[in-house]
mmCIF file of all heavy atoms in Angstrom:
data_model
loop_
_atom_site.group_PDB
_atom_site.id
_atom_site.type_symbol
_atom_site.label_atom_id
_atom_site.label_comp_id
_atom_site.label_asym_id
_atom_site.label_seq_id
_atom_site.Cartn_x
_atom_site.Cartn_y
_atom_site.Cartn_z
ATOM 1 N N GLY A 69 -82.189 36.741 -63.345
ATOM 2 C CA GLY A 69 -81.639 35.975 -64.413
ATOM 3 C C GLY A 69 -80.097 36.043 -64.556
ATOM 4 O O GLY A 69 -79.467 36.762 -63.795
ATOM 5 N N ILE A 70 -79.599 35.305 -65.431
ATOM 6 C CA ILE A 70 -78.156 35.239 -65.696
ATOM 7 C C ILE A 70 -77.955 35.428 -67.198
ATOM 8 O O ILE A 70 -78.785 34.885 -68.002
ATOM 9 C CB ILE A 70 -77.549 33.956 -65.173
ATOM 10 C CG1 ILE A 70 -76.035 34.012 -65.073
ATOM 11 C CG2 ILE A 70 -77.979 32.744 -65.924
ATOM 12 C CD1 ILE A 70 -75.508 34.729 -63.913
ATOM 13 N N GLY A 71 -76.941 36.076 -67.600
ATOM 14 C CA GLY A 71 -76.598 36.182 -69.023
ATOM 15 C C GLY A 71 -75.151 36.181 -69.266
ATOM 16 O O GLY A 71 -74.353 36.262 -68.307
ATOM 17 N N TRP A 72 -74.736 36.084 -70.452
ATOM 18 C CA TRP A 72 -73.319 36.103 -70.849
ATOM 19 C C TRP A 72 -73.197 36.487 -72.284
ATOM 20 O O TRP A 72 -74.129 36.448 -73.065
ATOM 21 C CB TRP A 72 -72.680 34.752 -70.602
ATOM 22 C CG TRP A 72 -73.075 33.723 -71.610
ATOM 23 C CD1 TRP A 72 -74.205 33.037 -71.697
ATOM 24 C CD2 TRP A 72 -72.272 33.346 -72.737
ATOM 25 N NE1 TRP A 72 -74.195 32.241 -72.799
ATOM 26 C CE2 TRP A 72 -73.008 32.382 -73.437
ATOM 27 C CE3 TRP A 72 -71.061 33.753 -73.234
ATOM 28 C CZ2 TRP A 72 -72.560 31.822 -74.641
ATOM 29 C CZ3 TRP A 72 -70.543 33.167 -74.363
ATOM 30 C CH2 TRP A 72 -71.313 32.166 -75.094
ATOM 31 N N ARG A 73 -72.011 36.882 -72.644
ATOM 32 C CA ARG A 73 -71.697 37.109 -74.043
ATOM 33 C C ARG A 73 -70.143 37.121 -74.204
ATOM 34 O O ARG A 73 -69.422 37.395 -73.232
ATOM 35 C CB ARG A 73 -72.272 38.366 -74.597
ATOM 36 C CG ARG A 73 -71.775 39.644 -73.938
ATOM 37 C CD ARG A 73 -72.196 40.921 -74.581
ATOM 38 N NE ARG A 73 -73.597 40.978 -74.832
ATOM 39 C CZ ARG A 73 -74.287 42.066 -75.099
ATOM 40 N NH1 ARG A 73 -73.650 43.207 -75.224
ATOM 41 N NH2 ARG A 73 -75.580 42.032 -75.343
ATOM 42 N N ARG A 74 -69.703 36.862 -75.445
ATOM 43 C CA ARG A 74 -68.293 37.084 -75.758
ATOM 44 C C ARG A 74 -68.108 38.554 -75.985
ATOM 45 O O ARG A 74 -68.961 39.223 -76.573
ATOM 46 C CB ARG A 74 -67.937 36.334 -76.973
ATOM 47 C CG ARG A 74 -67.646 34.855 -76.804
ATOM 48 C CD ARG A 74 -67.072 34.252 -78.078
ATOM 49 N NE ARG A 74 -66.807 32.800 -77.889
ATOM 50 C CZ ARG A 74 -65.870 32.191 -78.489
ATOM 51 N NH1 ARG A 74 -65.146 32.849 -79.437
ATOM 52 N NH2 ARG A 74 -65.659 30.931 -78.358
ATOM 53 N N LEU A 75 -67.022 39.095 -75.487
ATOM 54 C CA LEU A 75 -66.726 40.502 -75.722
ATOM 55 C C LEU A 75 -65.702 40.662 -76.833
ATOM 56 O O LEU A 75 -64.796 39.845 -76.962
ATOM 57 C CB LEU A 75 -66.178 41.107 -74.424
ATOM 58 C CG LEU A 75 -67.133 41.213 -73.258
ATOM 59 C CD1 LEU A 75 -66.429 41.873 -72.055
ATOM 60 C CD2 LEU A 75 -68.369 41.966 -73.636
ATOM 61 N N GLY A 76 -65.856 41.715 -77.540
ATOM 62 C CA GLY A 76 -64.900 42.037 -78.598
ATOM 63 C C GLY A 76 -63.942 43.156 -78.033
ATOM 64 O O GLY A 76 -63.665 43.112 -76.840
ATOM 65 N N GLU A 77 -63.560 44.018 -78.836
ATOM 66 C CA GLU A 77 -62.589 45.089 -78.438
ATOM 67 C C GLU A 77 -63.261 46.324 -77.870
ATOM 68 O O GLU A 77 -62.539 47.219 -77.469
ATOM 69 C CB GLU A 77 -61.791 45.495 -79.746
ATOM 70 C CG GLU A 77 -60.955 44.415 -80.329
ATOM 71 C CD GLU A 77 -59.863 43.960 -79.323
ATOM 72 O OE1 GLU A 77 -59.252 44.804 -78.663
ATOM 73 O OE2 GLU A 77 -59.573 42.776 -79.241
ATOM 74 N N SER A 78 -64.562 46.270 -77.754
ATOM 75 C CA SER A 78 -65.243 47.501 -77.233
ATOM 76 C C SER A 78 -64.947 47.785 -75.753
ATOM 77 O O SER A 78 -64.589 46.844 -75.007
ATOM 78 C CB SER A 78 -66.762 47.398 -77.474
ATOM 79 O OG SER A 78 -67.268 46.293 -76.743
ATOM 80 N N ASP A 79 -65.086 49.021 -75.385
ATOM 81 C CA ASP A 79 -64.963 49.459 -73.997
ATOM 82 C C ASP A 79 -66.021 48.730 -73.151
ATOM 83 O O ASP A 79 -67.180 48.680 -73.510
ATOM 84 C CB ASP A 79 -65.058 50.938 -73.888
ATOM 85 C CG ASP A 79 -65.006 51.530 -72.512
ATOM 86 O OD1 ASP A 79 -64.298 50.864 -71.677
ATOM 87 O OD2 ASP A 79 -65.509 52.600 -72.230
ATOM 88 N N LEU A 80 -65.618 48.242 -71.987
ATOM 89 C CA LEU A 80 -66.541 47.474 -71.141
ATOM 90 C C LEU A 80 -67.742 48.349 -70.767
ATOM 91 O O LEU A 80 -68.858 47.814 -70.735
ATOM 92 C CB LEU A 80 -65.818 46.988 -69.862
ATOM 93 C CG LEU A 80 -66.554 46.019 -68.978
ATOM 94 C CD1 LEU A 80 -67.019 44.798 -69.742
ATOM 95 C CD2 LEU A 80 -65.757 45.657 -67.787
ATOM 96 N N SER A 81 -67.525 49.610 -70.536
ATOM 97 C CA SER A 81 -68.662 50.478 -70.195
ATOM 98 C C SER A 81 -69.728 50.608 -71.296
ATOM 99 O O SER A 81 -70.871 50.983 -71.057
ATOM 100 C CB SER A 81 -68.207 51.846 -69.748
ATOM 101 O OG SER A 81 -67.587 52.534 -70.821
#
Side-chain angles (χ1 to χ4, degrees):
I70 195 82
W72 75 281
R73 65 169 52 164
R74 280 188 179 209
L75 294 179
E77 295 295 319
S78 60
D79 179 24
L80 190 58
S81 65

